[in-house]
Amino acid sequence: MANVVVVGAQWGDEGKGKIVDWLSERADIVVRYQGGHNAGHTLVINGVTYKLSLLPSGVVRSGKLSVIGNGVVIDPWALLSEIELLTSQGVEVSPSSLRIAENATLILPLHRELDQMREKAAGGGKIGTTGRGIGPAYEDKVGRRAIRVQDLKTLDTLGPKVERILTHHNALRRGLGEAECSADELMTALHEVAPKILPYMDCVWALLDKERRSGKRILFEGAQGALLDIDHGTYPFVTSSNTLAAQAAVGSGVGPRVLGNILGLAKAYTTRVGSGPFPTELHDEIGQKLGEKGHEFGTVTGRARRCGWFDACLVRQVIKLSGINGIALTKLDVLDGFTELKVCTGYTLDGEIIDRLPAGQNAQARVEPIYETLEGWSDSTAGARSWAELPAQAVKYVRRVEELIECPVTLLSTSPEREDTILMKDPFED
């Protein structure tokens, strides 16, 4: 049996929560390997809705070990709040079910504040951050001034690190006309939160090595979609970490050969939250209808998602960048009732036909989609659990998508309920 990496093949919000929960039944360990609490996953299990931001989706299933890897930036207060909420819903979260990498970077109050200050100061040039401090925390990580989970063990000797991080942040705050941070207030906050976080701390890379050698199956879960990757996404309208599948190895401390199969997730249409290019975005009644039928509002922010037709050109690009060998196509039921559907097969840029989204920001803003029109269907796909239950035109739509993205659809989701899933190939099989 292979391990599996789940990666979003669009701009996020592809339905990873349900798919990871569905796959976690076959896994022993679920690992979150990048991002922070700026991405949300919604799970619906036996009629109960769970909304997760930082915790791996497998945490709602008993008997599974959930792991937050070193590639994640962790707001300890947000994490504790999320654990408290799940506990109130009857989900037990304890050190026996959740482990946190000792070398993961902490998001501090000063990171949240700086994030919001800079977005406010940017005016019309803002990039659409959630304001939760993820970007500034990653900046401090790369700048080698971050405070990490393991530092909570040695707070009494943390003075020089606090001084270093405050020297940087207070200079920025002065430049923005804001009040400086207090070292005493920061240390007080860390002393209060440390005993609540430290019981979960572990050497995650060693833990995962031990468990995989014993035959345990590992599911690696990303947060944001691949098109938000800091290197390969629609820069600068991206997140602050690598979101491609390769990050699963770096962000959890395992070798690339451990990863196994790469399952990409894509909606049967396209959505995006926040600013940035979106070649197939619809500003008409069709776009509004997709948003209403798909309940397209961010789990974390509540912001309405921008909606458009399926962009096969972009998904094909992500498949090549992430080494995806199977696609889980979600929300097919949202397309029920459309008389015709369009799929983007490529672009024109200044009159030239191209088969990829260019890297330049200005060029990305100028591309125009090339559409292929497909016949829609009137019958419902909602809740279908086999190919035989799907309308013929829905099957044709999926098959054409496979051809255009040059990758098989190995899993099909037809509703938020975890059992409403059609499986063509188990990702855990070699």
Side-chain angles (χ1 to χ4, degrees):
M1 300 292 283
N3 298 319
V4 176
V5 180
V6 174
V7 58
Q10 294 163 319
W11 279 291
D13 309 308
E14 301 95 349
K16 288 184 290 295
K18 169 196 167 170
I19 299 301
V20 171
D21 173 65
W22 192 85
L23 290 171
S24 67
E25 187 175 29
R26 296 163 173 77
D28 301 297
I29 303 170
V30 182
V31 182
R32 171 80 180 274
Y33 59 81
Q34 56 80 217
H37 63 306
N38 53 339
H41 301 323
T42 300
L43 312 180
V44 180
I45 304 172
N46 297 325
V48 180
T49 299
Y50 303 95
K51 294 189 176 183
L52 308 177
S53 296
L54 190 56
L55 291 167
S57 297
V59 76
V60 299
R61 300 189 63 81
S62 62
K64 309 296 179 181
L65 177 62
S66 292
V67 174
I68 299 177
N70 57 275
V72 179
V73 286
I74 301 170
D75 183 325
W77 297 275
L79 175 62
L80 292 171
S81 177
E82 195 169 328
I83 290 173
E84 183 179 353
L85 176 60
L86 283 183
T87 300
S88 71
Q89 292 184 280
V91 177
E92 181 183 355
V93 182
S94 69
S96 63
S97 61
L98 174 67
R99 309 303 291 167
I100 302 173
E102 60 186 359
N103 53 339
T105 292
L106 292 177
I107 298 175
L108 306 174
L110 53 84
H111 292 128
R112 296 195 301 271
E113 293 163 2
L114 178 61
D115 205 354
Q116 295 164 14
M117 290 172 186
R118 291 199 300 206
E119 279 289 272
K120 179 181 177 182
K126 62 183 180 180
I127 60 174
T129 172
T130 59
R132 282 163 170 74
I134 280 77
Y138 274 116
E139 290 175 38
D140 282 346
K141 176 180 179 178
V142 175
R144 295 165 292 180
R145 56 183 169 264
I147 293 175
R148 305 199 289 179
V149 174
Q150 61 191 2
D151 291 323
L152 296 176
K153 292 192 304 181
T154 55
L155 291 176
D156 292 339
T157 60
L158 201 59
K161 286 191 174 183
V162 169
E163 182 179 350
R164 176 173 168 78
I165 197 171
L166 290 186
T167 296
H168 175 78
H169 278 264
N170 282 335
L172 294 174
R173 293 167 77 105
R174 288 193 298 270
L176 291 168
E178 301 286 350
E180 295 187 9
C181 295
S182 163
D184 289 341
E185 289 182 6
L186 177 57
M187 288 303 301
T188 297
L190 291 174
H191 273 286
E192 290 177 352
V193 81
K196 302 174 184 177
I197 295 295
L198 286 175
Y200 298 97
M201 188 180 74
D202 207 337
C203 180
V204 160
W205 71 263
L207 170 68
L208 293 178
D209 181 67
K210 175 185 175 182
E211 296 294 351
R212 74 169 186 86
R213 289 178 181 275
S214 70
K216 298 292 178 63
R217 286 171 293 185
I218 306 173
L219 184 62
F220 297 91
E221 173 190 10
Q224 293 86 3
L227 292 170
L228 295 176
D229 186 273
I230 187 67
D231 288 302
H232 298 283
T234 49
Y235 190 91
F237 304 100
V238 293
T239 193
S240 300
S241 61
N242 288 109
T243 59
L244 296 180
Q247 177 63 18
V250 179
S252 57
V254 302
R257 289 189 298 178
V258 172
L259 298 183
N261 286 322
I262 313 296
L263 179 68
L265 269 71
K267 282 178 182 170
Y269 51 104
T270 310
T271 63
R272 176 165 198 172
V273 170
S275 307
F278 186 169
T280 65
E281 183 175 9
L282 297 170
H283 299 281
D284 55 14
E285 293 180 359
I286 294 176
Q288 183 178 353
K289 184 177 179 180
L290 286 171
E292 291 172 352
K293 291 188 66 178
H295 305 290
E296 296 297 351
F297 297 92
T299 301
V300 171
T301 64
R303 291 183 291 184
R305 298 179 185 130
R306 301 154 63 190
C307 297
W309 294 120
F310 185 82
D311 193 331
C313 186
L314 267 185
V315 174
R316 183 172 65 240
Q317 185 169 322
V318 168
I319 286 169
K320 297 178 187 300
L321 285 168
S322 267
I324 292 169
N325 57 352
I327 283 285
L329 195 66
T330 66
K331 290 200 168 185
L332 182 67
D333 55 303
V334 174
L335 299 183
D336 293 352
F338 286 90
T339 56
E340 67 175 28
L341 305 166
K342 293 184 179 181
V343 176
C344 174
T345 60
Y347 311 111
T348 58
L349 176 61
D350 302 332
E352 178 186 355
I353 296 176
I354 58 176
D355 63 354
R356 62 180 175 84
L357 189 69
Q361 180 180 352
N362 290 333
Q364 290 175 354
R366 297 200 310 275
V367 298
E368 295 291 339
I370 300 172
Y371 284 121
E372 177 177 314
T373 302
L374 302 173
E375 185 180 348
W377 56 89
S378 57
D379 294 336
S380 175
T381 64
R385 299 182 182 183
S386 69
W387 281 106
E389 297 178 57
L390 295 177
Q393 294 305 324
V395 174
K396 289 181 180 179
Y397 180 83
V398 175
R399 293 308 186 198
R400 184 55 180 152
V401 164
E402 288 182 313
E403 293 173 354
L404 292 171
I405 64 176
E406 300 174 8
C407 183
V409 172
T410 57
L411 192 151
L412 195 62
S413 173
T414 58
S415 94
E417 292 290 342
R418 67 184 304 274
E419 298 302 331
D420 292 340
T421 307
I422 302 172
L423 178 67
M424 282 69 83
K425 182 182 184 300
D426 190 334
F428 282 107
E429 294 180 358
D430 289 317

